[in-house]
Amino acid sequence: MTAMQLILSDILLPTDVAEHWLHGLSLPGLEKLMLVSGGRRPESPAAAEFQRITPDIRALLRHHAFPVSPDQAALAPLLMLADGLDPGKLVWHVLSPAYYALARDHVVLGQTPLSWEDEQDWQALAQIAADIFSHDGGQLIALHPERWYWQHPQAEGLLSSMPQRALGRNVDIWMPGGNDQAARFWRRLHNELQMSWHEHSLNKKRELQGLPVANGVWLYGSGALPATSPGSQSASVNETLPAIQRGLQHWGSCHDIQLIDALSLPYAQQDVKGWRRTLEQLDSDLLRPLAQSRQLKKITLCGEQTYYEHTLARHDSWRYWFRRWRQPGLVDWLRV
């Protein structure tokens, strides 16, 4: 791990739960890094309460000078670049096969992406989706089980939410919005897709296997690539990075930044034990070695609504010794 900047997803906690989630944790690596922080710089501009794009992705894209707002980020073309596709100048959307669950009086996004026993299973559903979404000038490209790419002239102007926003929650406010005509067009096609998949033999097989059925798709990442990029497309791409970061490298931005999202799933599931266990592992395997090496220049801590950037000073600075004397606690650093 040689990144000079680090972004940690879902490590900041709401004030009302921070004490409980952090009680008794020992995180010497993070503590040492925070002791040399030059102070936390809040996200700018401050994000509104309703945000379709998660703070960690906003922070990542801003570091790379890629256009982003709380409501919009063109993740689809970036992911296409990561998958070896050319998005051109078109507006694209990601469709991720999903399981929608019925709660007492609303629908929640139960799971996405889905796991597949056989590659032919998701390909069969993708073919049905292509027949529906490709009419009248549309195009659906399905090369990956987790993300299919769709573009259609009548779907331009949609605002779409990242799936992390809706997981386990009422989907109403997170469904595609923006242009009313485009939103109606999307709902019509999605309803047609759901009816086509409802009685499919694959879903009956998944039920027998105890797997969540594929009863819809989640649309996100709507947009087109910016007209200009920060440089020429990179000939050397680190294929071990997450897809969005590979896409940014292909786009021409090669900043030495690493996004770590291991805490996102336990946080979304409100799995306190799993979140604590994952954070302790991250501290042992990643943060403690970085603190000892003194190579890390900046760390960005992200929560559900916002993020804070910490520029790190030398370990022999006055801040280090002053804060060691004051002995601030984890709650002071990790609550919002």
Side-chain angles (χ1 to χ4, degrees), residues 65-321:
F66 190 90
V68 61
S69 74
D71 261 350
Q72 191 78 352
L75 301 180
L78 281 180
L79 293 170
M80 292 180 73
L81 291 175
D83 288 338
L85 299 169
D86 180 8
K89 299 179 180 179
L90 297 174
V91 172
W92 290 90
H93 318 268
V94 182
L95 304 183
S96 179
Y99 164 61
Y100 288 84
L102 184 63
R104 177 176 297 181
D105 57 357
H106 59 271
V107 175
V108 302
L109 181 61
Q111 182 176 329
T112 190
L114 301 177
S115 59
W116 304 93
E117 296 287 327
D118 193 323
E119 185 176 5
Q120 294 179 341
D121 291 345
W122 68 262
Q123 290 176 340
L125 295 184
Q127 183 57 57
I128 296 173
D131 292 341
I132 294 171
F133 286 97
S134 297
H135 287 307
D136 302 321
Q139 182 182 11
L140 184 79
I141 303 174
L143 301 180
H144 193 285
E146 296 183 3
R147 48 185 183 267
W148 307 341
Y149 303 108
W150 177 55
Q151 68 86 14
H152 200 292
Q154 296 185 55
E156 295 184 12
L158 284 177
L159 296 178
S160 54
S161 305
M162 295 181 64
Q164 293 90 333
R165 287 310 199 198
L167 279 173
R169 295 171 174 162
N170 188 334
V171 300
D172 283 351
I173 65 170
W174 303 110
M175 296 297 279
N179 183 290
D180 289 342
Q181 186 174 352
R184 288 194 298 271
F185 178 69
W186 157 252
R187 288 195 296 269
R188 178 172 66 80
L189 293 186
H190 192 224
N191 287 340
E192 185 177 346
L193 176 79
Q194 289 181 300
M195 289 187 289
S196 298
W197 282 5
H198 179 64
E199 294 297 332
H200 196 281
S201 59
L202 170 62
N203 273 327
K204 296 186 183 299
K205 182 176 78 170
R206 290 179 68 88
E207 283 185 317
L208 291 174
Q209 294 172 333
L211 297 172
V213 298
N215 56 9
V217 292
W218 188 260
L219 181 147
Y220 71 97
S222 306
L225 284 180
T228 59
S229 66
S232 58
Q233 291 193 357
S234 175
S236 177
V237 173
N238 185 349
E239 297 298 336
T240 65
L241 291 175
I244 291 177
Q245 291 183 262
R246 297 200 310 273
L248 286 164
Q249 288 191 349
H250 280 290
W251 179 59
S253 180
C254 298
H255 293 285
D256 196 7
I257 302 168
Q258 179 69 53
L259 172 67
I260 305 295
D261 63 359
L263 293 169
S264 295
L265 183 59
Y267 181 80
Q269 296 174 338
Q270 291 295 284
D271 176 7
V272 180
K273 290 182 178 179
W275 185 89
R276 287 167 57 92
R277 185 168 55 248
T278 302
L279 182 52
E280 287 179 319
Q281 193 70 46
L282 280 175
D283 191 81
S284 173
D285 297 346
L286 177 63
L287 300 181
R288 192 182 306 177
L290 282 174
Q292 292 171 346
S293 71
R294 306 186 184 186
Q295 292 180 340
L296 196 63
K297 302 301 182 186
K298 182 181 291 186
I299 185 169
T300 302
L301 307 181
C302 305
E304 189 172 359
Q305 297 293 328
T306 192
Y307 62 81
Y308 292 101
E309 294 179 346
H310 294 259
T311 299
L312 306 180
R314 298 177 319 196
H315 287 66
D316 57 355
S317 72
W318 65 268
R319 291 189 185 94
Y320 178 75
W321 296 107

